[in-house]
Amino acid sequence: AQKITQTQPGMFVQEKEAVTLDCTYDTSDPSYGLFWYKQPSSGEMIFLIYQGSYDQQNATEGRYSLNFQKARKSANLVISASQLGDSAMYFCAMREGNSGYSTLTFGKGTMLLVSP
Amino acid sequence: NAGVMQNPRHLVRRRGQEARLRCSPMKGHSHVYWYRQLPEEGLKFMVYLQKENIIDESGMPKERFSAEFPKEGPSILRIQQVVRGDSAAYFCASSPFPPGQGTQPQHFGDGTRLSIL
């Protein structure tokens, strides 16, 4: 089974609207972390937001928030007030366990296009 | 504070040649990770290194690929006798945390786009 599933290959949104990018995950480890990264057309990977499995509140970073539903194993990214510069690929990733190092497992990504 | 530096940004090789990709972690980071991104895919873990040690190479192909992180200088991902299927973006990430602390994100470099002719 895939550890990270992003079911939306592409999403379209109009400028200034909010958009939700879906991410579901699969793990039996009670300790894990969930990450969202943005990859614009220039190719770099930009960290957006992090949610730990024991965090009581949903993570927020500026216009980004993470809708964390632990029982459903989902960690959807919400972008409020979309901007043209938000057009990019978005990757959900997970790190399992609380080991001495972390490697990330990535989903296949969702392409977001923001139109004027 | 400079981020993770990767070079070259783009690398073109002919089949059978060697490719050397370099990664300098962020200042103060002693943990380096290499990932590969095939077209239209997410990143896949290849190898994790600390200074002078390979900690986890479970994602590395058994042949032709090697990685090192010497005491001095950048981490190197080396691909010998490249084939067309090696064409991908290769990303390096670094993190500072000692064992037991896992909340920090990994900071990624801009990647090296490897094209095999």
Side-chain angles (χ1 to χ4, degrees):
Chain A
Q2 287 198 11
K3 289 204 176 268
I4 295 286
T5 303
Q6 294 180 255
T7 57
Q8 307 152 315
M11 289 285 285
F12 295 89
V13 66
Q14 272 202 310
E15 205 176 2
K16 297 178 186 170
E17 291 184 349
V19 62
T20 297
L21 306 183
D22 294 342
C23 173
T24 57
Y25 58 92
D26 182 27
T27 181
S28 57
D29 198 316
S31 176
Y32 53 89
L34 297 156
F35 300 76
W36 277 92
Y37 287 86
K38 172 184 177 182
Q39 187 177 43
S41 58
S42 49
E44 65 269 32
M45 293 290 286
I46 302 167
F47 166 74
L48 295 178
I49 196 166
Y50 166 82
Q51 180 86 44
S53 60
Y54 295 121
D55 292 346
Q56 295 296 316
Q57 294 186 325
N58 286 349
T60 60
E61 289 285 347
R63 293 186 298 111
Y64 304 108
S65 60
L66 205 151
N67 184 2
F68 182 44
Q69 298 187 40
K70 197 169 181 176
R72 297 177 62 182
K73 293 190 175 178
S74 75
N76 299 340
L77 177 70
V78 181
I79 306 174
S80 62
S82 299
Q83 301 172 357
L84 295 178
D86 293 335
S87 294
M89 280 291 286
Y90 288 80
F91 291 97
C92 180
M94 176 174 65
R95 179 189 62 236
E96 293 176 277
N98 196 28
S99 62
Y101 66 90
S102 68
T103 65
L104 297 171
T105 302
F106 284 81
K108 292 195 173 185
T110 295
M111 171 67 78
L112 176 65
L113 292 176
V114 181
S115 60
Chain B
N1 192 14
V4 179
M5 304 299 291
Q6 287 189 250
N7 67 82
R9 189 76 193 270
H10 300 273
L11 182 60
V12 180
R13 286 287 178 267
R14 296 187 186 279
R15 282 178 294 172
Q17 291 184 321
E18 178 180 286
R20 292 171 72 89
L21 289 62
R22 294 175 187 76
C23 168
S24 297
M26 286 182 71
K27 188 176 180 181
H29 289 196
S30 57
H31 306 253
V32 165
Y33 314 78
W34 285 92
Y35 291 82
R36 177 165 64 176
Q37 184 180 29
L38 295 171
E40 299 183 12
E41 295 279 330
L43 278 66
K44 288 194 169 25
F45 167 75
M46 298 181 73
V47 62
Y48 160 61
L49 310 102
Q50 293 181 22
K51 283 284 187 183
E52 301 184 274
N53 287 304
I54 296 175
I55 308 301
D56 181 352
E57 55 182 349
S58 59
M60 195 99 103
K62 294 286 186 284
E63 297 177 349
R64 302 187 298 108
F65 284 72
S66 62
E68 62 178 13
F69 189 16
K71 189 176 179 182
E72 301 291 337
S75 175
I76 306 287
L77 179 67
R78 183 181 176 208
I79 311 172
Q80 295 177 291
Q81 298 175 330
V82 295
V83 301
R84 288 245 170 91
D86 297 333
S87 295
Y90 292 82
F91 286 90
C92 172
S94 72
S95 65
F97 60 87
Q101 297 181 19
T103 61
Q104 291 94 335
Q106 293 177 355
H107 298 267
F108 283 85
D110 288 347
T112 293
R113 273 102 192 130
L114 176 64
S115 299
I116 309 301
L117 302 180

